[in-house]
Amino acid sequence: MPRRGVTALACLAALVALACEGGTSATPRPTRSAPPSSGPGGIAALGDSITTGFASCLVLTSCERNSWSTGDGLRVQSHYRRLLEQDSAIRDRTYNHARPGARADALEGQAQAAVRDRADYVTVLIGANDVCRGGVDAMTPVAQFRADVDRGLRVLRTGRPKARVLVVSIPDLYRLWEVGHDDARAVRAWRRGICPSLLAEATSTAPADRARRAAVRDRINAYNTELVAACRAYGSRCRHDGGAVHKVRFTLDLLNPLDWFHPNATGQGRLAEVTWRSSGLAN
């Protein structure tokens, strides 16, 4: 999610987006010539570093095998693994186009890649990097965020009109500050530049710092409102998670111990669990 001054749940330091040792590659895998008999024929993930499994392998890089959406590792019961249990024809038909640091304006290009993949199921988790900027004034305006999301979804609706789309709410980053600002390890990590609009001066009780954090919290709420509306405007093939991710009561044991920001493998599993219930694909 984060990069220095610009992070992502999301979740959302200047970090290099390399594949984690032993993790899966973001390179699209070969697609079978015929779709499966039931369920989606391929799953594509759009978004930011949360969906890449960033730092979930105890290294500050992406680790796609632990992705809540497309991961194929055994530690996370991802959407892909759940679909595979329903229909083996989906095996290896996963495409993770999420990227660390991505903001909503990256969705259009990611969606174009999903269309080229001919994905039949697409997950979208975006927005943490739109708030995790250098300051409140640098956050993406709400109207611009909505326009960026609409452009990305329009690409999917035009290019894959029969695909199912799951739009996921932005995690409650303010709660992350609430549970972590008294932990010395988290505060030290955050000082490296992780989500400065929210986490800078994490222990300060000064009115200006309190107001800054409240502004970030309010902006996330506003983005989440627009995600609901954007999915509704998309039509019946789009489902929203009903705020399930935002409602997750994250604790420090669901975060990795390197940046105390991104979900660890257990946290990724929690995201997979709550979003799967909203997907409409569970048997």
Side-chain angles (χ1 to χ4, degrees):
M1 199 189 317
R3 57 191 178 187
R4 187 171 184 85
V6 182
T7 69
L9 146 90
C11 341
L12 305 203
L15 302 171
V16 182
L18 301 173
C20 175
E21 265 186 48
T24 55
S25 168
T27 303
R29 298 163 177 158
T31 303
R32 294 173 180 243
S33 59
S37 58
S38 62
I43 173 173
L46 315 184
D48 51 40
S49 55
I50 291 181
T51 300
T52 73
F54 190 91
S56 63
C57 288
L58 300 181
V59 181
L60 284 173
T61 57
S62 297
C63 184
E64 291 180 11
R65 70 170 181 246
N66 288 337
S67 169
W68 65 272
S69 176
T70 60
D72 59 4
L74 298 180
R75 298 181 66 192
V76 177
Q77 187 70 351
S78 68
H79 285 222
Y80 165 64
R81 291 191 62 212
R82 294 169 192 260
L83 290 169
L84 188 60
E85 290 176 354
Q86 295 180 8
D87 193 332
S88 61
I90 198 176
R91 186 176 301 279
D92 294 333
R93 299 178 71 173
T94 63
Y95 312 92
N96 196 321
H97 298 296
R99 293 293 180 269
R103 299 196 293 271
D105 61 5
L107 276 183
E108 183 176 18
Q110 293 182 7
Q112 290 168 350
V115 169
R116 289 193 295 271
D117 297 332
R118 300 165 68 179
D120 289 336
Y121 177 48
V122 182
T123 67
V124 180
L125 172 52
I126 200 74
N129 290 310
D130 290 273
V131 296
C132 285
R133 308 299 300 278
V136 169
D137 292 342
M139 294 190 298
T140 304
V142 175
Q144 183 62 51
F145 176 81
R146 173 61 186 277
D148 291 338
V149 170
D150 281 344
R151 272 196 298 274
L153 293 182
R154 190 177 304 119
V155 169
L156 294 176
R157 189 174 58 205
T158 301
R160 298 296 293 167
K162 295 183 179 180
R164 293 180 182 232
V165 177
L166 176 67
V167 174
V168 176
S169 55
I170 302 166
D172 187 353
L173 301 185
Y174 187 83
R175 174 171 172 79
L176 179 66
W177 171 81
E178 287 182 317
V179 302
H181 75 279
D182 289 328
D183 188 287
R185 301 165 301 173
V187 171
R188 280 196 300 271
W190 296 346
R191 284 174 182 157
R192 299 176 193 142
I194 296 172
C195 197
S197 57
L198 175 67
L199 300 176
E201 305 297 334
T203 60
S204 172
T205 59
D209 290 318
R210 293 170 62 185
R212 170 174 50 81
R213 295 180 202 119
V216 172
R217 179 189 59 201
D218 293 345
R219 186 62 58 91
I220 290 173
N221 290 338
Y223 288 169
N224 276 331
T225 297
E226 294 303 326
L227 289 171
V228 172
C231 187
R232 184 181 300 119
Y234 187 100
S236 62
R237 304 301 290 180
C238 183
R239 281 179 174 260
H240 185 262
D241 76 343
V245 166
H246 189 74
K247 293 172 185 175
V248 170
R249 304 293 288 171
F250 264 94
T251 52
L252 293 182
D253 62 337
L254 296 179
L255 304 175
N256 79 80
L258 296 177
D259 66 11
W260 298 100
F261 188 83
H262 290 90
N264 57 21
T266 303
Q268 288 282 341
R270 181 67 175 144
L271 294 179
E273 177 186 358
V274 301
T275 53
W276 180 249
R277 297 173 191 162
S278 308
S279 68
L281 297 172
N283 284 335

